Amino acid sequence: MESSANSASLDLILSQRLNRALTAGKEDLYQILGDPSMDVVRAALRNPALDDNHLLDLLRRRDLSEELLRAVCRLDAFADSHHLKVAAARNPRLPGSILSTLLPHLYLFELVAICSLPGATPDQKTAAERGIIQRLATVPLGSKLTLARRGTSAVADALMREGDPRLLEACLGNPHLKESAIYTLINGPSASPETISMVARHPRWKSRVNLQLAMLRNPKTPPVWFTLLLPHLNSRDLRGLRVAQRLTPSQKQLVTEELKRRGGTIS
């Protein structure tokens, strides 16, 4: 009997909260939207006093169920509001199927913000990165330069592959850039004497042995970098360079001369 009474009491309390969610005024509605019960919050979505400010406040919650988020995204007010789309896209609980429909509506740097958002899921960040990269062809140079400095590693990698020295210079200072991306660039078709020299001069990257070897294996690398970098290599790497297929005869000669200076055997 006591258990039944407790259950009836709880049902009555929930019923009262649901009724209040449907009838509360604007100010009280903010508190109701913080209710731990998704049923109460869902009832509040039908409250005539509900407006965009309430929904923006609600979308900041990180404990909303996927079902509740889907319900918010089906509201007429949501369809007409850019701010609500941005807020929903920033919520880590938003289902991926809905996120993919929202990202095309977001501005470029709203996508950038999602990539660096604390608590964002890997799926959110990957989807935002993809959205940024897909737009790069139509992004003006000034915005690309900002992206090169602030973007994720994947975005910086895509910008470097465009082959514009101005973008490469900005990307090289990006704290998210990975050495592997530069290695790929040096070995790729967009590498040029100018871009290789930019890497060779950069204080962050110029001493990376893997990058030095990649530059010295590239036939586009200017001779000055052979003169400056060869003395710092070990003899085993020098001998490997001497038989590298891609080197020009003049580059191989520089390697041979360095080996001779060390008294190495030339075979």
Side-chain angles (χ1 to χ4, degrees):
M1 291 293 291
E2 183 178 351
S3 176
S4 298
N6 288 340
S7 179
S9 176
L10 290 174
D11 287 344
L12 177 60
I13 293 172
L14 178 59
S15 177
Q16 291 171 340
R17 285 158 59 197
L18 289 169
N19 182 66
R20 184 166 174 254
L22 291 167
T23 59
K26 280 185 177 294
E27 292 305 316
D28 290 339
L29 197 51
Y30 285 105
Q31 181 180 358
I32 292 168
L33 290 171
D35 195 290
S37 168
M38 293 298 105
D39 289 335
V40 172
V41 176
R42 191 180 183 100
L45 296 183
R46 303 198 301 272
N47 187 310
L50 186 77
D51 61 22
D52 286 10
N53 290 325
H54 293 112
L55 292 173
L56 286 171
D57 195 60
L58 174 64
L59 287 169
R60 295 188 185 99
R61 286 184 59 173
R62 295 297 182 258
D63 62 340
L64 299 177
S65 67
E66 287 193 5
E67 181 184 4
L68 195 285
L69 285 165
R70 290 182 187 277
V72 171
C73 294
R74 287 194 294 267
L75 295 173
D76 292 340
F78 185 89
D80 298 331
S81 172
H82 179 79
H83 293 304
L84 290 177
K85 292 182 175 71
V86 174
R90 291 168 63 94
N91 192 300
R93 301 295 297 275
L94 188 75
S97 58
I98 297 180
L99 178 64
S100 63
T101 67
L102 296 182
L103 293 183
H105 298 281
L106 271 56
Y107 300 126
L108 180 67
F109 286 98
E110 290 170 342
L111 294 176
V112 174
I114 290 175
C115 291
S116 58
L117 185 68
T121 66
D123 287 346
Q124 274 181 301
K125 293 180 179 181
T126 299
E129 281 180 338
R130 190 181 304 119
I132 294 167
I133 292 169
Q134 289 173 347
R135 298 186 193 185
L136 289 180
T138 59
V139 173
L141 178 61
S143 295
K144 283 184 177 181
L145 289 170
T146 302
L147 285 175
R149 299 184 189 101
R150 292 172 43 193
T152 64
S153 177
V155 172
D157 187 13
L159 288 167
M160 285 197 306
R161 283 189 269 110
E162 293 191 9
D164 188 324
R166 295 168 295 183
L167 293 176
L168 175 59
E169 182 179 13
C171 287
L172 289 176
N174 185 318
H176 306 296
L177 187 65
K178 297 178 180 177
E179 181 177 324
S180 59
I182 303 176
Y183 186 89
T184 301
L185 171 73
I186 293 171
N187 288 291
S190 62
S192 67
E194 182 179 5
T195 56
I196 291 171
S197 293
M198 291 173 68
V199 175
R201 286 192 299 265
H202 198 276
R204 181 181 172 194
W205 305 110
K206 65 181 181 181
S207 299
R208 308 287 179 103
V209 175
N210 285 339
L211 298 183
Q212 290 177 350
L213 288 171
M215 289 185 282
L216 292 171
R217 292 191 190 105
N218 194 315
K220 298 177 184 177
T221 298
V224 63
W225 297 114
F226 278 76
T227 302
L228 294 173
L229 295 177
L230 288 177
H232 300 285
L233 295 186
N234 61 51
S235 297
R236 183 186 63 182
D237 288 334
L238 279 173
R239 286 192 290 272
L241 278 174
R242 189 172 179 274
V243 296
Q245 297 293 322
R246 296 177 65 197
L247 293 191
T248 65
S250 61
Q251 288 174 328
K252 287 188 177 182
Q253 182 59 36
L254 291 170
V255 177
T256 299
E257 291 173 0
E258 177 61 27
L259 280 168
K260 287 180 178 179
R261 276 194 291 271
R262 298 187 189 189
T265 301
I266 308 300
S267 56

